[in-house]
């Protein structure tokens, strides 16, 4: 690719990225910007004529993005199905508290450990739904939502099924299950507990609104069955992947189909229960957030295809031989661009013959790529989901979460330095 085309792609991406950041001020929806950005970047790639069969490159990346999109749609539908039945009320009653600080601690630990079993994206969607019931006032949910993203990303980093980047390292024989849990758990916990401590220090008082009315709300018919089977179906997704090898999005679609059957059987005799069946639930899904997700990922894929991310890896390898510096840089960059192509590029740069399975480099990359995305809302699937579902803008997240998340991230890196 010519230098002019390369600079044009980078310039377009920067302009689009700034438009997403400044959405609140320019009054242009980030979904429109994300879709336009993806379309323009790939159009430039096609027009430049620098490679043969550009359609095959687009089809390859579209296949990868589609897996995430279908996973997201399935997870959002399942969570909305449980919520429509008011199935979360049982959990809400168990963890409900009027203390803001106690609520913050409970939610953070729940998100951290839940994301290690599910994944950070599903956990974030689930926890946002619970928080909407626990704290109806949106302005009082910002700190909680930011902490959910940080905790979910941290919790997903230390297990092979918790974060897609750790899953990539695991599938490609860079890390083993027990080793990554043993080596990455403590720094991941540090990256969660430090921002939690910062937020908790400044969080005082009790919620001013009386939420007892929401807690007393009765469940819909079949609420308990849908809740139990829904949670079990979500937990079954990583098990299905482990047992059969099928991609996670297939497991999520199977889980959705199963709940679809169950709810149809429960409600098909009652005409007044159409609002509890999946066809109606699908109309409530926020498609704009899904399209935003697609636009961002395809935009990053365009940069990956022209070799920009690979060039960054080569440049980094040329200026330092420190594993810690390389991994730290990857984590910081993952706050700006998607961590998936960054980890893919790192595996291409540092093959397994040079750095064997469970080498310290792979452990540090598992940590930094998983947790670095918490620094900015656009840096992780969990953050993008928060922006889409809760309509949290880039600036609001950055003001609230970037410094606490950075403190936790760097102290986790320091742990690797010490050991």
């Amino acid at each position: 690719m010519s230098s002019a085309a390369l600079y044009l792609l980078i310039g377009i991406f920067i302009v689009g990225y700034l438009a997403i950041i400044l959405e609140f001020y320019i009054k242009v929806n980030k979904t429109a910007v994300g879709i336009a950005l993806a379309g323009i970047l790939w159009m430039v790639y096609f027009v430049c004529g620098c490679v043969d069969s550009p359609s095959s490159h687009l089809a390859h990346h579209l296949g990868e993005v589609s897996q995430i999109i279908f996973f997201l749609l399935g997870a959002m539908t399942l969570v909305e199905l449980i919520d429509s039945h008011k199935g979360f009320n049982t959990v809400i009653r168990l963890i409900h508290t009027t203390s803001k600080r106690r609520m913050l601690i409970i939610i953070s630990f729940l998100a951290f450990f839940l994301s290690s079993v599910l994944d950070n994206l599903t956990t974030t969607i689930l926890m946002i739904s619970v928080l909407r019931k626990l704290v109806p006032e949106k302005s009082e949910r910002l700190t909680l939502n930011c902490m959910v993203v940080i905790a979910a990303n941290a919790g997903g980093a230390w297990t092979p099924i918790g974060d897609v980047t750790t899953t990539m390292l695991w599938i490609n024989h860079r890390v083993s299950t027990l080793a990554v849990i043993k080596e990455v758990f403590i720094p991941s916990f540090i990256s969660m507990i430090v921002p939690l401590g910062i937020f908790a220090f400044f969080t005082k008082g009790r919620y001013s609104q009386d939420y007892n009315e929401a807690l007393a709300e009765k469940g819909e018919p079949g609420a308990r069955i849908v809740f139990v089977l829904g949670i079990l179906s979500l937990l079954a997704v990583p098990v299905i992947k482990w047992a059969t090898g099928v991609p996670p999005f297939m497991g999520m679609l199977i889980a959705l189909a199963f709940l679809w059957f169950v709810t149809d059987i429960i409600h098909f005799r009652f005409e007044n229960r159409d609002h509890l069946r999946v066809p109606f639930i699908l109309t409530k899904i926020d498609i704009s957030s899904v399209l935003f997700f697609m636009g961002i990922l395809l935009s990053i894929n365009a940069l990956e295809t022209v070799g920009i991310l690979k060039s960054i890896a080569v440049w980094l390898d040329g200026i330092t031989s420190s594993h810690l510096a390389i991994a730290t840089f990857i984590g910081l960059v993952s706050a700006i661009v998607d961590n998936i192509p960054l980890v893919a590029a790192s595996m291409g740069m540092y093959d397994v013959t040079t750095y064997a399975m469970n080498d310290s480099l792979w452990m540090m990359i598992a940590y930094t790529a998983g947790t670095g995305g918490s620094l900015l809302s656009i840096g992780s699937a969990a953050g993008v989901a928060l922006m889409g579902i809760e309509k949290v803008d880039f600036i609001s997240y950055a003001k609230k979460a970037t410094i606490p998340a950075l403190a936790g991230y760097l102290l986790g890196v320091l742990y690797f330095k010490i050991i």
Side-chain angles (χ1 to χ4, degrees):
M1 173 172 281
S2 67
S3 298
L6 193 62
Y7 291 138
L8 179 61
L9 283 170
I10 295 174
I12 292 170
F13 178 80
I14 292 173
V15 171
Y17 193 77
L18 288 173
I20 292 171
I21 293 173
L22 301 173
E23 176 196 22
F24 179 78
Y25 301 98
I26 65 176
K27 306 301 180 184
V28 177
N29 189 279
K30 63 180 177 294
T31 300
V33 176
I35 295 173
L37 183 60
I40 293 171
L41 288 174
W42 278 102
M43 184 173 63
V44 172
Y45 182 73
F46 270 68
V47 170
C48 77
C50 52
V51 295
D52 295 328
S53 185
S55 297
S56 63
H57 293 276
L58 177 57
H60 169 73
H61 289 298
L62 186 60
E64 294 180 342
V65 171
S66 296
Q67 292 189 38
I68 301 175
I69 295 303
F70 282 120
F71 182 94
L72 181 62
L73 281 171
M76 291 174 70
T77 306
L78 273 177
V79 170
E80 186 63 42
L81 187 62
I82 297 171
D83 189 42
S84 293
H85 283 79
K86 298 181 174 59
F88 289 123
N89 285 10
T90 303
V91 176
I92 290 169
R93 291 188 188 99
L94 290 175
I95 66 176
H96 176 259
T97 175
T98 57
S99 169
K100 293 184 177 181
R101 183 174 293 169
R102 191 176 302 147
M103 176 76 76
L104 183 68
I105 294 170
I106 292 171
I107 289 297
S108 300
F109 275 87
L110 191 58
F112 180 80
F113 287 104
L114 190 60
S115 67
S116 68
V117 181
L118 295 174
D119 64 85
N120 51 6
L121 178 58
T122 309
T123 299
T124 300
I125 297 170
L126 188 63
M127 296 307 298
I128 289 174
S129 298
V130 171
L131 282 174
R132 281 179 161 179
K133 295 291 185 179
L134 284 168
V135 187
E137 186 62 41
K138 183 180 177 181
S139 61
E140 294 187 329
R141 290 199 303 266
L142 180 59
T143 300
L144 293 164
N145 283 327
C146 291
M147 197 58 227
V148 163
V149 171
I150 295 171
N153 286 336
W158 58 276
T159 67
I161 59 175
D163 185 272
V164 65
T165 52
T166 310
T167 302
M168 288 168 60
L169 293 169
W170 176 56
I171 291 174
N172 288 279
H173 308 292
R174 264 53 173 193
V175 299
S176 62
T177 301
L178 292 178
V180 75
I181 292 173
K182 178 183 176 183
E183 298 292 333
V184 183
F185 173 78
I186 293 178
S188 295
F189 186 77
I190 291 171
S191 73
M192 185 276 290
I193 203 70
V194 170
L196 173 58
I198 295 172
F199 283 136
F201 180 79
F202 292 103
T203 301
K204 298 176 182 178
R206 297 182 175 274
Y207 293 109
S208 57
Q209 206 168 340
D210 182 9
Y211 303 144
N212 291 333
E213 184 178 341
L215 294 171
E217 199 174 21
K218 291 183 179 180
E220 296 280 2
R224 185 168 296 181
I225 294 174
V226 172
F227 172 74
V228 173
L229 292 181
I231 296 299
L232 290 176
S233 297
L234 290 170
L235 293 173
V237 172
V239 177
I240 292 172
K241 182 190 181 306
W242 171 78
T244 66
V246 300
F249 83 96
M250 286 300 300
M252 187 61 73
L253 292 179
I254 291 170
L256 174 59
F258 172 68
L259 260 293
W260 200 325
F261 289 139
V262 170
T263 50
D264 275 0
I265 291 171
I266 293 174
H267 303 305
F268 81 98
R269 295 180 181 177
F270 306 92
E271 292 184 3
N272 62 338
R273 296 186 188 176
D274 284 348
H275 66 290
L276 299 177
R277 300 176 69 177
V278 174
F280 180 82
I281 300 300
L282 289 171
T283 66
K284 299 172 66 176
I285 300 301
D286 186 4
I287 298 300
S288 67
S289 64
V290 177
L291 291 175
F292 173 64
F293 213 118
M294 181 188 72
I296 287 297
L297 291 179
L298 285 176
S299 300
I300 298 298
N301 288 152
L303 299 184
E304 180 191 3
T305 302
V306 298
I308 292 174
L309 299 180
K310 186 78 171 181
S311 298
I312 293 174
V314 172
W315 168 78
L316 185 63
D317 191 51
I319 64 172
T320 181
S321 59
S322 168
H323 291 179
L324 189 62
I326 292 169
T328 303
F329 182 80
I330 288 173
L332 294 174
V333 174
S334 73
I336 303 172
V337 300
D338 187 61
N339 55 7
I340 297 173
L342 284 174
V343 173
S346 69
M347 287 192 292
M349 278 297 300
Y350 312 106
D351 59 61
V352 74
T353 58
T354 306
Y355 299 97
M357 178 185 282
N358 297 327
D359 187 273
S360 60
L361 173 66
W362 305 124
M363 296 299 176
M364 287 185 285
I365 289 177
Y367 165 73
T368 57
T371 60
S374 300
L375 303 183
L376 298 174
S377 60
I378 205 167
S380 67
V384 173
L386 174 64
M387 292 176 72
I389 299 171
E390 280 284 83
K391 303 297 184 290
V392 175
D393 64 87
F394 183 96
I395 301 296
S396 296
Y397 181 93
K399 287 180 178 178
K400 177 67 68 172
T402 295
I403 292 178
L406 180 62
Y409 173 80
L410 293 177
L411 285 174
V413 170
L414 181 61
Y415 169 83
F416 278 109
K417 176 71 173 176
I418 293 171
I419 65 170

